Amino acid sequence: MSPNRQSVDRYRRHAAGYDASARRTMSLRRRAVALLDLRPGDVVLDVGAGTGLSYELLLAGVGEAGRVLAIEQSPEMFALACARIERHGWTNVWHCNAPAETVELPEPADAVLFNYVHDITRTPQAVANILRQSKPGARIAMAGMKYFPWWTGPLNLLAWAKNRPYNVRPGDMWQPWDIVETWCESFERRSTQAGMGYIARGIRRGTVD
Ligand SMILES: C[S@@+](CC[C@H](N)C(=O)[O-])C[C@H]1O[C@@H](n2cnc3c(N)ncnc32)[C@H](O)[C@@H]1O
């Protein structure tokens, strides 16, 4: 089964309880959105938007003149994001139920958010498809889980076990930011959650090889 199919199967099981399980990490979502330094009128892209937990924060940043674009491949997660939009009556969100590897975006983004989307950030084709459609100079922010330093040994079993139910590539957490980093001309990162998480920001390079 393809990694995308496996991921869709996992999120079919997680969708209903997802928002409750994500409560503990909401402060990191907020921090990642703040790193985007959004301005009124910006177009911001939420990659792997899930149930749309970041939509309200992003809309507050871009204002009424701006626009939130979002993509999400799980039909069940996407349905919850649609319900969120309807509940709030938001009109300046364009979102679509499609994989990051092949989605075509309606316009280039000024800012791109990768919040807890490990399977996407570990897939070069997905990162390339998203970032080649964003503006040169776009602000990029990301947050997620990572392994503790190697010398902490068994602690990483905990990181792996927490990641495994959600992600298809739970073993690939040493430097989960490094594919996105290759697209950036400046990149800063710091550890969170006592070393089990990271948050980062970068600027998309002006030229792409
Ligand atoms: C842990 S959730 C994060 C959701 C949201 N960004 C948040 O902060 O709550 C990861 C999401 O990425 C989506 N996803 C995984 N692989 C994807 C892909 N290749 N294309 C689009 N979405 C994908 C999953 O369906 C899931 O909704």
Side-chain angles (χ1 to χ4, degrees), residues 95-134:
H95 71 169
C96 132
N97 183 203
E101 288 84 344
T102 52
V103 68
E104 285 183 27
L105 300 169
E107 59 186 315
D110 301 291
V112 183
L113 179 68
F114 295 94
N115 243 348
Y116 287 90
V117 286
H118 181 75
D119 281 329
I120 297 177
T121 54
R122 297 322 293 153
T123 306
Q125 188 196 341
V127 172
N129 184 47
I130 293 299
L131 292 184
R132 76 174 168 71
Q133 296 183 70
S134 66

Side-chain angles (χ1 to χ4, degrees), residues 3-4 7-8 11 18-19 22 25-26 29 46-54 71-75 77-78 98-101 113-120 123 126 166-169:
N4 294 70
S7 175
V8 166
Y11 280 94
Y18 184 80
D19 286 6
T25 44
M26 264 326 277
R29 283 184 184 75
D46 189 355
V47 185
T51 62
L53 273 180
S54 299
I71 62 127
E72 167 54 48
Q73 80 173 352
S74 151
M77 297 289 273
F78 183 72
E101 288 84 344
L113 179 68
F114 295 94
N115 243 348
Y116 287 90
V117 286
H118 181 75
D119 281 329
I120 297 177
T123 306
Y166 296 92
N167 293 318
V168 178
R169 301 166 182 84

Side-chain angles (χ1 to χ4, degrees), residues 21-95:
S21 73
R23 241 174 247 139
R24 284 183 318 258
T25 44
M26 264 326 277
S27 63
L28 283 158
R29 283 184 184 75
R30 265 184 229 110
R31 277 175 64 188
V33 171
L35 289 181
L36 291 173
D37 190 19
L38 293 174
R39 300 149 200 179
D42 273 347
V43 175
V44 60
L45 171 63
D46 189 355
V47 185
T51 62
L53 273 180
S54 299
Y55 287 179
E56 190 160 15
L57 299 167
L58 297 172
L59 284 163
V62 301
E64 286 183 7
R67 199 167 181 216
V68 172
L69 313 179
I71 62 127
E72 167 54 48
Q73 80 173 352
S74 151
E76 290 77 12
M77 297 289 273
F78 183 72
L80 291 170
C82 292
R84 188 185 299 277
I85 292 178
E86 203 168 306
R87 221 168 36 244
H88 288 271
W90 292 323
T91 52
N92 49 347
V93 181
W94 172 95
H95 71 169

